[in-house]
Amino acid sequence: EVKLLESGGGLVQPGGSMRLSCAASGFTFTDFYMYWIRQPAGKAPEWLGFIRNKANGYTTEYNPSVKGRFTISRDNTQNMLYLQMNTLRAEDTATYYCATGSYFDYWGQGVMVTVSS
Amino acid sequence: DVVLTQTPVSLSVTLGDQASISCRSSQSLEYSDGYTYLEWYLQKPGQSPQLLIYEVSNRFSGVPDRFIGSGSGTDFTLKISRVEPEDLGVYYCFQATHDPLTFGSGTKLEIK
């Protein structure tokens, strides 16, 4: 069974940094792209970016809305996905999801990030 | 960025009736490889979104055949025949043809 479990969320001040983690299990981690998606309360989700699989060199792509501030990485020895978020703004407040699959087949339960002073 | 416009914004349906949701794209979603990367997701209350339909009309594993996706180019439709109580939630279309990937604004399905 595919499982994705996000962690690392919470309250952070504007301008601060935070790293989210996503623990993956139940599938061959290196075979799949891994995605980050966020969703402000009451709004539509927003795709943030992805990191490709082993066959595609683990390269990354980002939404221009976060490019340069957010970095996606993966630890293939630990089946972990990460989202490093820097220079956080109030508008980054949202629930953050990791997802995987040929599409967004599988999602984690999400972790809340609140950017506020 | 590609804008996906969903209509209606909300929909109230009697159990057993059909529901129809439209998703209109600001650009054609046919990719250079001939595929159209338009997906539909359902977010039930308090849950993460779940994949229903991929590549316009293909049902994801375990999705009932009551869910039917159709369309091409810029106009797409999700039909739900014989609406059941577990179908309530917010439906989102999503495109993965153009960068950045984008979601529609959502359609809330309520049961009368």
Side-chain angles (χ1 to χ4, degrees), chain A residues 32-54:
Chain A
F32 288 89
Y33 286 37
M34 297 296 298
Y35 306 89
W36 284 102
I37 299 148
R38 70 181 176 186
Q39 186 174 29
K43 295 188 176 181
E46 178 187 26
W47 167 76
L48 298 178
F50 61 77
I51 186 164
R52 294 181 172 88
N53 58 7
K54 181 179 181 180

Side-chain angles (χ1 to χ4, degrees), chain A residues 35 37 39 42-47 50 61-64 97 102-110, chain B residues 1 37 39 41 43 47-51 54-55 60 92 94 96 99-106:
Chain A
Y35 306 89
I37 299 148
Q39 186 174 29
K43 295 188 176 181
E46 178 187 26
W47 167 76
F50 61 77
E61 300 291 343
Y62 296 95
N63 191 318
Y97 298 97
S102 300
Y103 303 89
F104 301 153
D105 303 12
Y106 303 99
W107 297 62
Q109 88 290 345
Chain B
D1 297 4
Y37 296 102
E39 298 151 30
Y41 292 85
Q43 188 170 29
Q47 296 187 18
S48 306
Q50 58 188 80
L51 176 63
Y54 63 94
E55 292 172 19
F60 184 55
Y92 296 100
F94 171 80
D99 187 23
L101 316 184
T102 51
F103 284 87
S105 51

Side-chain angles (χ1 to χ4, degrees), chain A residues 78-97:
Chain A
Q78 299 289 325
N79 288 3
M80 294 292 296
L81 174 72
Y82 301 103
L83 179 66
Q84 177 66 42
M85 304 184 292
N86 298 329
T87 320
L88 284 161
R89 309 164 181 163
E91 53 266 36
D92 295 317
T93 295
T95 296
Y96 285 71
Y97 298 97

